Amino acid sequence: MYAIVDIAGKQFKVTQDQFVYAPVLEGEEGASVEFNDVLLIDNDGKVKVGTPTVKGSKVTGKILGHVKDDKVVVFKKKRRKGYKVKNGHRQQLTKVLIETIS
């Protein structure tokens, strides 16, 4: 059984007992979260597609922590001009354990 869920504007394919790194969410470590924007549910070949969401369905999870993604290096250079700029960025993420799909 799996579901496609909209979490903070991004779509994730989730199954039960799976870890998902979603964009940063409100809540503390150990808090439970509920996602009501379920776009599709597949239950052993029985597919329910929402228009735009599946009515009466939800995915619940538990926040395991707030982490940072790997560093992305942004390097800009213009040749022969002596112009070089190096920046880095680490995106804030929330680690969520998917508990139930219903």
Side-chain angles (χ1 to χ4, degrees), residues 31-68:
S32 63
V33 290
E34 197 171 279
F35 306 111
N36 294 321
D37 294 334
V38 180
L39 306 174
L40 181 138
I41 292 181
D42 182 4
N43 190 1
D44 298 327
K46 297 177 184 175
V47 178
K48 292 183 188 176
V49 179
T51 55
T53 60
V54 180
K55 295 197 182 343
S57 62
K58 65 180 177 179
V59 174
T60 59
K62 181 175 165 184
I63 295 177
L64 297 179
H66 300 287
V67 295
K68 286 186 177 182

Side-chain angles (χ1 to χ4, degrees), residues 6-38:
D6 184 6
I7 301 173
K10 296 191 179 206
Q11 295 179 8
F12 294 92
K13 179 181 177 184
V14 296
T15 58
Q16 193 169 352
D17 299 327
Q18 175 188 0
F19 297 108
V20 174
Y21 289 97
V24 68
L25 299 172
E26 297 285 328
E28 298 177 5
E29 256 182 64
S32 63
V33 290
E34 197 171 279
F35 306 111
N36 294 321
D37 294 334
V38 180

